[in-house]
Every structure is written in C-alpha cells, then in structure tokens.
Amino acid sequence: MEHNHGHDLICNGEQTRTTIPMKDRGVAELVGDMGRMGFQGGQLGTSLRVWERMMDEDVTIFLGLAGAMVPAGLGEFIAYLLRERKVDCLVSTGANLFHDLCEGLGIIHFRGSCCTDDAYLNECKIDRIYDVFVSEIELHKADNYISDFVKGLDQDRRYSSRELMEMVGKGLPDTTILGAAYKAGVPIFVPALGDSSWGIGMVIALREGCRVLVDQIKDVDEITRIVERSAQTGVIYIGGGVPKNFIQQTEVIAELIGNYSGGHSYAIQYTADSPHWGGLSGCTFEEAVSWGKVKKEASKVQVFSDATITVPLVVQALQASGHRRKSYPVYNWREGDLELNYR
C-alpha cells in the first residue's frame, strides 16, 4: 500500500529516520549516530564526520579557542588535540593560555558555586568564573612567573606571540596546551596578548625596566603564511571572538596579496552565540562565504550549544574511533618566511 503525504523529503536521494535506537554503544558510535538526529544533536554528529573528513586529506587544521574553556575544565581535551595532531595551529585568547600556564605550575581550578557571597570570596582572595574558583594569591604567582620569563628575553628583538608561547611551553608538561603544542610542533598565536594576565606580567617587567616588544603584525604575517602554503585549510572554532576573526581574516589578506585559494575548505564551530545579534561569534559560515573566507562548496557545520557539553563529546569520540590522519603539516620557521610540508 502506497502512502503519499504530499511532502516527500528528498535529501541526497535518501530518507534518513531521525530516531536512533537505544542500545549499548561507545561514545564514538553514539556521536556518529547522533548525526541522524534533528536539531543540534544532528549538528554535533555531523561535526564529527566533517572533522574526520579533514583528517583524510592534506589539510592544515586551525583551532580557535575563546571563552573560559580552560578554567571550565577543557584544557586536557585541547592538549590531546594538539599532541595527537588532530589540529595543526591554535589561536587562543590570552586568558585561556594563562589559565593553562597556571595548571602547568600546579595552580588548580576548583568547582565552586555561582550562588556564593562574592564579597566574602573577595575577602578570602578567591576569584570566581561563574562556578569555578581559583586562588587570587596563586594567580599572582603566575603573573610574576610571566614577568620573570619576560626579563630573560632579548630586549633588542621583536617577538611574535607564537615565539613566546613556544618558549613558555618548553618547560611545561604535555598535559597542558602550551606543553603539548611545544612537543608536537604546533604553533600557537595569541592576537590579543595584552588583554590577559600575559599583559599584566609583561607590564610588571616593564615597570621594572625590562621592555620586550611583541609584534602582533608579525603574528598576522606568520599565520597568513601558513594559509598560503597549505594545500587546503580547515577551521574549528570553540566559541568565536578574536580567535575566530584572526583565523578568518587570513583569507582576506591572502586575496589582497595575491595568494588566495578561495577560502577555507572545511569549517566547524561550537558556540552558544546567535547569528541575529550581528556579532562574529554567532555569525554563520554562509555569511563568511560572502566575504570569501569560506568556500561556497565547503563542508561546514555549526553546533549552537554550550561548548563545555559538545567539545568533550566530539573529542572523546575522535579518540575512541581511532581515526588516523592521512598527513599533517610540518613547519620550518625562518625569519620572515615559512616552509611547510605534509608528513
């Protein structure tokens, strides 16, 4: 008996049932099956497929990290992505990497409460990030660690943030973002370095007579060279903000300079921000196509949900699936230039 409801669903010639069965399964299978669901569960499952597709080609994968993800507890998940070369370049807020440094120095973030007496916390020298507590006295130790680090630098040269993060990461365990990036040879850029405790520590050194120049335009040049020398590029954004734009604008620069490849070939974002407010953190990848930052035929998906929920699931699924990369880029940095090859 035929049923004609007058609203045939055509999607690549197939009808996919949204209901997924209840059964024993691992996280990789769960997230994969979620790709058949509607709404943001379906978007999450699709993001895993797009991420795995990137790993099957010669693609340089950029990761943008915004929000207070490290204090919230995602630090070791990001370190895993760097250590195992699931991503190839990190652009982060300074705050995330400051808190990552703290973890590397043994300064711990604790689960607290968002319904506490903040005046009392202030008396106790406890800083609150929603429901996360951290000792202000311990944070000041990290500020001074940065100041002492700066005092050991050459005051006669200009550093990119990539160079600074590489030097800091050398002395940290690979369970930290900075330590994992150093060990794996993954560059880290911090385009708003001064807007964090890195800036605080550097000002302490400055007031004590040590002026170190951080050349943020050198950052722009270096990350654009990565894009120009890559076979293809893919982007993954946790949150949005400055890291997202810093990565996106490389395509505009490449077009102006004459080394334009047409935009990013893959794009994933995990964000709780909405497109209709007009901000970059929530803007769609379709909007990015209008700027030429993302190719119109790119594989792209956005998961509009709390990244502290979605990112652990998809990263754990990547780990559990055992999906290996075809190749990853290896960087040979020279003053004013970059050699990039896929291994």
Side-chain angles (χ1 to χ4, degrees):
M1 179 178 179
E2 293 185 0
H3 297 276
N4 186 351
H5 300 290
H7 53 271
D8 291 338
L9 173 66
I10 300 175
C11 182
N12 295 325
E14 297 181 0
Q15 292 183 345
T16 302
R17 188 183 183 199
T18 56
T19 302
I20 60 175
M22 180 62 207
K23 63 178 183 179
D24 290 334
R25 52 160 74 84
V27 65
E29 186 180 1
L30 172 62
V31 176
D33 285 348
M34 288 173 68
R36 293 154 46 191
M37 296 178 65
F39 311 144
Q40 299 312 305
Q43 296 293 91
L44 177 63
T46 301
S47 76
L48 176 62
R49 292 203 303 270
V50 173
W51 201 324
E52 290 179 336
R53 200 175 304 153
M54 277 192 276
M55 293 167 58
D56 292 335
E57 300 180 14
D58 289 340
V59 177
T60 303
I61 306 175
F62 293 81
L63 175 64
L65 182 64
M69 295 296 104
V70 173
L74 284 184
E76 291 201 26
F77 284 85
I78 306 304
Y80 165 80
L81 293 174
L82 302 172
R83 193 169 58 245
E84 298 298 322
R85 290 307 292 262
K86 308 296 186 187
V87 297
D88 307 307
C89 178
L90 173 65
V91 178
S92 175
T93 59
N96 271 313
L97 294 178
F98 172 73
H99 288 281
D100 179 68
L101 171 66
C102 288
E103 289 281 333
L105 298 176
I107 301 168
I108 307 302
H109 300 83
F110 295 96
R111 178 70 186 274
S113 171
C114 61
C115 302
T116 191
D117 183 339
D118 288 290
Y120 179 67
L121 287 183
N122 181 256
E123 292 175 10
C124 297
K125 298 298 181 183
I126 299 294
D127 294 340
R128 179 172 72 89
I129 308 169
Y130 187 59
D131 60 355
V132 177
F133 291 172
V134 62
S135 166
E136 185 172 297
I137 294 171
E138 294 295 297
L139 291 183
H140 288 336
K141 291 180 182 178
D143 292 328
N144 288 317
Y145 180 94
I146 293 171
S147 177
D148 291 340
F149 163 73
V150 169
K151 291 172 187 175
L153 298 176
D154 185 352
Q155 297 186 52
D156 294 326
R157 62 166 293 190
R158 294 176 179 268
Y159 294 90
S160 65
S161 65
R162 175 193 62 81
E163 293 171 305
L164 295 180
M165 295 304 108
E166 181 179 323
M167 287 185 282
V168 174
K170 185 176 182 179
L172 296 175
D174 66 3
T175 52
T176 65
I177 295 171
L178 289 160
Y182 174 79
K183 182 177 180 179
V186 174
I188 296 178
F189 294 92
V190 192
L193 193 68
D195 183 30
S196 67
S197 283
W198 295 94
I200 293 173
M202 289 181 172
V203 168
I204 294 172
L206 175 66
R207 294 295 180 90
E208 295 177 5
C210 181
R211 178 186 294 274
V212 169
L213 295 176
V214 182
D215 189 343
Q216 302 265 233
I217 303 306
K218 189 175 181 181
D219 283 346
V220 177
D221 181 47
E222 286 186 350
I223 194 171
T224 302
R225 288 181 187 276
I226 296 176
V227 170
E228 291 173 310
R229 284 153 179 73
S230 294
Q232 294 184 87
T233 55
V235 296
I236 301 167
Y237 300 122
I238 300 174
V242 170
K244 182 180 180 182
N245 186 69
F246 192 72
I247 296 171
Q248 293 287 72
Q249 73 176 14
T250 56
E251 294 291 349
V252 177
I253 298 167
E255 183 176 16
L256 290 168
I257 292 174
N259 296 318
Y260 183 51
S261 62
H264 300 301
S265 300
Y266 297 90
I268 301 170
Q269 186 177 17
Y270 306 95
T271 182
D273 292 298
S274 301
H276 58 262
W277 303 120
L280 181 77
S281 295
C283 84
T284 65
F285 288 133
E286 285 73 23
E287 182 178 315
V289 170
S290 77
W291 290 77
K293 297 173 180 177
V294 174
K295 292 179 179 178
K296 63 180 180 181
E297 67 274 13
S299 295
K300 49 190 182 292
V301 58
Q302 288 173 284
V303 186
F304 289 97
S305 181
D306 185 339
T308 63
I309 298 170
T310 55
V311 172
L313 284 171
V314 74
V315 174
Q316 197 72 52
L318 275 173
Q319 189 270 341
S321 72
H323 198 101
R324 301 182 65 84
R325 291 193 72 171
K326 172 194 172 184
S327 63
Y328 59 84
V330 177
Y331 310 100
N332 181 15
W333 295 96
R334 298 188 295 271
E335 189 61 37
D337 204 357
L338 166 68
E339 181 183 343
L340 186 153
N341 296 291
Y342 290 91
R343 176 183 299 169

